[in-house]
Amino acid sequence: MRAPRRPTLVRVGAAAASGALCALSRPPFDVGPLACLALVPLFFVWRDRGARASAGYAFVAGVVYYAILCSWIWYFGTIAIVPFVAICAGYWAGAGAVIGWLRSRGITNPFLTAAMWVVADACVSRFPFGGFSWSELGYAFHDIAPARAVAGVGGLTLITFLAVALNALIADLLGAGRSARRYAKAYVGLALVATAVVASTVTRAQPRVDSFLRVALIQGNDKNRELTDAELDERYLPKSHFDLATRVTDPVDLIVFPESSMDRDPRTDPFVHDNLVRIAREHHAWVLANATVDADPEGRRAENLDVLFGPDGEIVGTYSKHHLVPFGEYVPFRGELEGWIPALQHVPRDFVRGRTTGLFEVAGTRVATVICFESAFGPEVRSRVRDGAAVIVVSTNNRSYRRSANSAQHLAFGQIRAAETGRPVIQAAISGITAVIDADGAVHDETQLFDRTVVQRTVGATTGETMYVRYGEWALEASIAAVVLGCLAAVARRRRPSVESQRDGVVPIASRIEGYGDGVPAPREHV
């Protein structure tokens, strides 16, 4: 007999609900605990489906999730958000296809589902064009201390793995029916997830504060719009920030002017250079400033450049951003695309990738700088900590996204990076959100969007290694290994019946039950 099926529309609605719940767990709604249940509807409705159906339901969930989570991409038009959402949701569909295929071969396990999910996330954050590390479910737990403790053990990947496994285990409980064995297995799995979180919290390595750094962060753009030609001519941005610097009254070691706060090259433009030198000397402080500068004499290419001035006003170092934003700071396949995508005219020239590490000595403390998009990538920050950074400075400009959730989502990345590395993160944003994040991932002195203000705080510079800093992406590597082993087992299991059937003339009964579960072998109770 054929197993009963729910109407397709109900299943599609449940998949869409999963995508919406995942989005609600992230800013601006930021109901983090929802991520413990968000994927349950999707996992529940695909549990008796094969690769094609599972991929379809996962794609629906992914479209809803990315359309809500990254709704701020609408500022760049339909031509930007539609392909973006479709491509990102395609990774969810890929995960669903593999999970459904494994299930059709009789291989199913909540932890294997979680492993496949984080492998798909890893692909999103790396391919194509350097990836888009923005969507991992683990970010939903940025304000939950035990989850941040997990980050110190296995990074964002381990948080996502445990969250997805929890969802899959709950779905198994709901679908267990009267099977005592299934209930027992689900409860054992839940106990393992809880044990991992408790163990991470109890054994968390506490970073050691070796020195203190007094910082001032300047947030100087209060215009929730594009600047007018008159404002550009009057050099509103650098003047606004220089004016705010007069509010810095306490002794400070480092003054940070955020990304794009300088409208011309701080090394060569007399107005910008002389004011930065004056501020450094007046406060006897290091001054970090950022600008988009020409990367060649003809100005055909650009650099996103941090420039550090010493207390004597001399330039002591620079850092050029090397993890660039595709279609924001460079256009892949520009020659082929420009003719039929007019919006690409807003990116008139490509940026070049920097090669330096972004490590500076500031008042006896090793400080690492990352620029905007780079803070979304755990390995970017980890590499700097491995090189000796005791404090991380994130210089960013999210003004283009106005009052959307983009800035709050970006701040959450800083919390996870702090928790992963055991290092304080100083996030200086030109129009907000500016904040200081301690080494445990807790946020202090958070500013409002488009508020001209100065944040002054003493930060504890830390040393020591978390497990994540020492061993890196071990949770991802373990997940890849689990998926590969699962796939090999599935291939072997598929071949074995055909060999036996050729020898004995026997066809497994499950394969003779027409239409069951979209190609999924019938479980024993249906046979």
Side-chain angles (χ1 to χ4, degrees), residues 123-133 323-324 326 330 353 373 377:
C123 292
V124 176
S125 64
R126 289 165 174 79
F127 310 105
F129 316 127
F132 183 77
S133 182
H323 199 133
L324 302 176
Y330 74 101
R353 302 177 187 276
F373 188 58
F377 299 87

Side-chain angles (χ1 to χ4, degrees), residues 178-195:
R178 297 180 180 179
S179 173
R181 182 182 178 185
R182 291 184 181 180
Y183 273 114
K185 289 174 65 176
Y187 282 123
V188 169
L190 291 171
L192 289 174
V193 171
T195 299

Side-chain angles (χ1 to χ4, degrees), residues 70-118:
C70 301
S71 57
W72 34 266
I73 296 180
W74 278 114
Y75 288 117
F76 300 99
T78 304
I79 193 65
I81 195 167
V82 170
F84 169 81
V85 168
I87 290 170
C88 291
Y91 287 94
W92 282 33
V98 174
I99 293 167
W101 174 73
L102 290 171
R103 188 187 306 112
S104 73
R105 304 296 179 261
I107 297 176
T108 177
N109 183 284
F111 294 102
L112 185 58
T113 296
M116 186 61 240
W117 202 272
V118 299

Side-chain angles (χ1 to χ4, degrees), residues 238 242 257 262 269-282 287:
F242 294 150
F257 293 96
M262 303 297 115
D269 181 77
F271 175 71
V272 171
H273 176 272
D274 292 351
N275 274 284
L276 293 173
V277 168
R278 173 183 57 80
I279 291 168
R281 290 173 176 171
E282 285 179 355
V287 173

Side-chain angles (χ1 to χ4, degrees), residues 128-129 327 330-341 344 350:
F129 316 127
F327 302 100
Y330 74 101
V331 178
F333 312 115
R334 180 183 288 273
E336 292 76 12
L337 296 177
E338 273 188 327
W340 59 282
I341 305 181
L344 295 180
D350 292 337

Side-chain angles (χ1 to χ4, degrees), residues 251-448:
V252 294
D253 301 306
L254 175 65
I255 300 172
V256 182
F257 293 96
E259 184 185 21
S260 304
S261 53
M262 303 297 115
D263 60 352
R264 294 175 193 168
D265 194 333
R267 300 167 300 180
T268 58
D269 181 77
F271 175 71
V272 171
H273 176 272
D274 292 351
N275 274 284
L276 293 173
V277 168
R278 173 183 57 80
I279 291 168
R281 290 173 176 171
E282 285 179 355
H283 293 278
H284 195 67
W286 281 258
V287 173
L288 184 69
N290 175 277
T292 295
V293 305
D294 293 337
D296 54 53
E298 296 79 19
R300 291 175 298 185
R301 308 192 76 186
E303 285 183 276
N304 191 336
L305 189 71
D306 278 348
V307 180
L308 183 68
F309 291 77
D312 60 359
E314 295 296 320
I315 294 175
V316 296
T318 61
Y319 168 67
S320 180
K321 183 179 181 182
H322 57 78
H323 199 133
L324 302 176
V325 182
F327 302 100
E329 292 173 318
Y330 74 101
V331 178
F333 312 115
R334 180 183 288 273
E336 292 76 12
L337 296 177
E338 273 188 327
W340 59 282
I341 305 181
L344 295 180
Q345 296 174 1
H346 296 296
V347 189
R349 56 180 179 166
D350 292 337
F351 284 59
V352 297
R353 302 177 187 276
R355 299 185 180 277
T356 58
T357 61
L359 280 170
F360 304 112
E361 193 83 17
V362 175
T365 298
R366 294 275 280 177
V367 174
T369 65
V370 295
I371 300 175
C372 198
F373 188 58
E374 292 178 317
S375 72
F377 299 87
E380 289 277 352
V381 177
R382 174 181 175 261
S383 66
R384 289 160 170 79
V385 173
R386 293 275 291 176
D387 289 338
V391 175
I392 307 298
V393 176
V394 179
S395 176
T396 185
N397 175 14
N398 296 321
R399 202 279 317 156
S400 297
Y401 306 107
R402 302 185 185 179
R403 295 191 180 276
S404 70
N406 179 280
S407 294
Q409 291 166 2
H410 200 169
L411 183 65
F413 302 157
Q415 291 180 261
I416 298 299
R417 300 292 87 83
E420 287 175 336
T421 61
R423 296 294 185 270
V425 172
I426 301 166
Q427 184 144 319
I430 191 171
S431 56
I433 299 169
T434 296
V436 175
I437 304 167
D438 65 29
D440 290 325
V443 178
H444 306 275
D445 301 317
E446 181 178 341
T447 67
Q448 300 298 311

